[in-house]
Amino acid sequence: MHFEELIKTIKERREVMQVTQEALAELSRVGLRTLKQFESGKGNPTLLTLQKLADVLGMEVCLKLKNVTRSK
Amino acid sequence: MHFEELIKTIKERREVMQVTQEALAELSRVGLRTLKQFESGKGNPTLLTLQKLADVLGMEVCLKLKNVTRSK
DNA sequence: CTTCGAAGTGCATTATACAGCTCTTTTTTT
DNA sequence: AAAAAAAGAGCTGTATAATGCACTTCGAAG
């Protein structure tokens, strides 16, 4: 998942859950400004910020192997 | 995956691939100091840094739903 | 014990993420 | 269309991530 996908995933998940940026910001204890920047594609969140958001959205950050089948 | 797990995953993957911190730092274009801090559990890497490292290690950062079955 | 490679740490600098406040723009609701 | 809500953006401190350099620590090999 590259950058844009991760952002999109967070944003879509938030919308599916019908939570506003403001509510998510409060619940995750991430500044509203930070969340706004993140969702609008600006900035480069820290892992901690990403985890705080993901957590509230019932998601988790993970690392998985690419090319399970073959390179390319 | 919480913080420590992510770190552990990166570190173990690097070791399995028999790459030194120095080599990984160069390949991923992440400062050696940054990688060292990260692997020794200090700091809070940005998504970009994490992605650069994961990429070289043939991994990718992703977000997945927790509790697919049920809460807890 | 000495040497060497890899990993970890202290210090300093630069860049930028985080955050709040205010205002504008966009979207939704009535 | 007007009002209200939500999202986006400018300005601005403060905190800290990213980085380089030099030194220390650790483990393996001689």
Side-chain angles (χ1 to χ4, degrees), chain A residues 33-49:
Chain A
R33 193 67 227 283
T34 302
L35 175 57
K36 283 176 184 298
Q37 278 187 3
F38 178 37
E39 279 197 11
S40 58
K42 283 138 193 167
N44 174 25
T46 60
L47 179 55
L48 190 57
T49 297

Side-chain angles (χ1 to χ4, degrees), chain B residues 20-69:
Chain B
T20 62
Q21 290 179 336
E22 198 168 351
L24 176 55
E26 284 175 16
L27 290 169
S28 60
R29 294 178 168 287
V30 165
L32 179 56
R33 191 71 227 281
T34 302
L35 175 57
K36 284 176 184 296
Q37 276 188 9
F38 178 38
E39 279 197 11
S40 59
K42 284 139 193 165
N44 172 24
T46 61
L47 178 54
L48 191 57
T49 296
L50 193 56
Q51 285 184 323
K52 287 194 284 192
L53 295 173
D55 195 50
V56 171
L57 296 173
M59 307 183 83
E60 67 172 352
V61 179
C62 65
L63 284 169
K64 68 177 178 188
L65 290 175
K66 285 188 298 194
N67 320 320
V68 178
T69 52

Side-chain angles (χ1 to χ4, degrees), chain B residues 4 9 19 40:
Chain B
E4 293 74 31
T9 302
V19 177
S40 59

Side-chain angles (χ1 to χ4, degrees), chain A residues 5-67:
Chain A
E5 281 183 284
L6 288 169
I7 292 174
K8 199 159 154 282
T9 301
I10 289 284
K11 186 165 186 170
E12 288 178 353
R13 173 76 178 155
R14 179 179 63 76
E15 287 168 348
V16 165
M17 292 179 79
Q18 301 209 56
V19 176
T20 63
Q21 290 179 336
E22 197 168 350
L24 175 56
E26 284 176 16
L27 290 169
S28 59
R29 295 177 167 289
V30 166
L32 178 56
R33 193 67 227 283
T34 302
L35 175 57
K36 283 176 184 298
Q37 278 187 3
F38 178 37
E39 279 197 11
S40 58
K42 283 138 193 167
N44 174 25
T46 60
L47 179 55
L48 190 57
T49 297
L50 193 58
Q51 286 184 324
K52 286 196 285 191
L53 294 174
D55 194 50
V56 171
L57 295 173
M59 306 181 84
E60 66 173 352
V61 178
C62 64
L63 282 170
K64 67 177 176 189
L65 289 175
K66 285 189 297 192
N67 320 321

